[in-house]
Amino acid sequence: MSSKDSQTLGFYAEEASAYAGRDRQAENRRIDIFAAGLVPGARILELGCGGGQDSEEMLRRGFDVVPTDGSPELAKQAAQRLGREVRVLLFEDLAEVAAYDGVWAHACLLHAPRPGLPGIIDRIRAALRPGGVFYASFKAGEAEGRDSLGRYFNYLSSAELRDAYGPARGWQSLQIEEEMGSGYDRMATRWLHALAIKAPET
């Protein structure tokens, strides 16, 4: 999560218990696709882990998961679920280099400011080892705005999302898939699922 939107951070502070405790299953189908590109026991950074359901599933599968969230309140909730520390980390503060085999960012980078998203993606690429796998999901749209709960979303088109990764920014491949779904607000939503592989070092 970005530090630049206090309204969105405030929402998650107030709703942390309800948001983390809702009946939400792990994103098993997306985790299957993500995990297919990783070796057993791979080290994974999860950004915006929310209630910790996806980290819990990836830990169950034997991965070395580092869960983080930009909201201190959500991090506390996830730590209770996972029985381990959950670091408070804002997207723009990620500074590790070649530290992870995978980065998982389900439904969190959609809160990043549009102008700042390419730089955040660059930081994620830097944090990955060569050949590392990066998954992220976004709510599709044409212009940034807020939902009925007051949360900021960047609402990108497929073309804008592809541009945010940059044609020469060091990705070996980028696949973007669109599907219908919903979210915490229970509204019908077009989702964009991006899966990228970091290019080998030359």
Side-chain angles (χ1 to χ4, degrees):
M1 198 174 300
S2 172
S3 62
K4 294 178 172 56
D5 188 64
S6 58
Q7 189 173 340
T8 301
L9 281 169
F11 168 84
Y12 287 111
E14 293 176 10
E15 292 288 317
S17 179
Y19 186 87
R22 73 196 193 281
D23 184 21
R24 175 193 173 258
Q25 301 299 311
E27 296 292 323
N28 283 296
R29 188 168 76 85
R30 295 291 165 188
I31 293 174
D32 287 343
I33 298 168
F34 174 71
L38 298 170
V39 299
R43 191 166 191 246
I44 297 169
L45 171 67
E46 180 173 12
L47 297 171
C49 73
Q53 291 90 342
D54 292 346
S55 275
E56 184 177 51
E57 173 61 20
M58 290 186 286
L59 286 164
R60 188 190 69 77
R61 296 183 186 210
F63 292 111
D64 177 15
V65 183
V66 178
T68 71
D69 200 277
S71 162
E73 295 81 9
L74 277 178
K76 182 178 178 180
Q77 293 288 328
Q80 291 174 359
R81 173 187 294 275
L82 299 171
R84 63 173 59 201
E85 180 186 3
V86 175
R87 183 159 49 118
V88 177
L89 178 68
L90 297 168
F91 303 141
E92 60 265 31
D93 292 338
L94 177 62
E96 293 167 283
V97 176
Y100 302 99
D101 303 298
V103 174
W104 176 266
H106 171 68
C108 62
L109 292 177
L110 40 63
H111 294 310
R114 276 183 169 224
L117 184 60
I120 290 168
I121 291 175
D122 284 346
R123 286 178 175 271
I124 291 168
R125 188 190 65 80
L128 282 167
R129 296 171 180 138
V133 184
F134 172 33
Y135 165 79
S137 57
F138 299 81
K139 290 188 177 185
E142 302 299 331
E144 63 187 347
R146 296 189 183 275
D147 68 357
S148 60
L149 302 174
R151 299 176 296 173
Y152 169 88
F153 289 90
N154 45 37
Y155 292 126
L156 302 165
S157 67
S158 291
E160 287 171 322
L161 180 56
R162 193 170 294 278
D163 287 345
Y165 280 77
R169 278 194 140 99
W171 297 104
Q172 178 175 301
S173 66
L174 171 63
Q175 299 175 338
I176 297 176
E177 179 184 337
E178 183 175 326
E179 70 175 0
M180 288 301 298
S182 63
Y184 187 65
D185 60 3
R186 301 183 184 277
M187 301 294 290
T189 303
R190 284 190 303 125
W191 285 90
L192 301 175
H193 299 274
L195 188 73
I197 308 296
K198 180 176 177 175
E201 300 292 348
T202 55

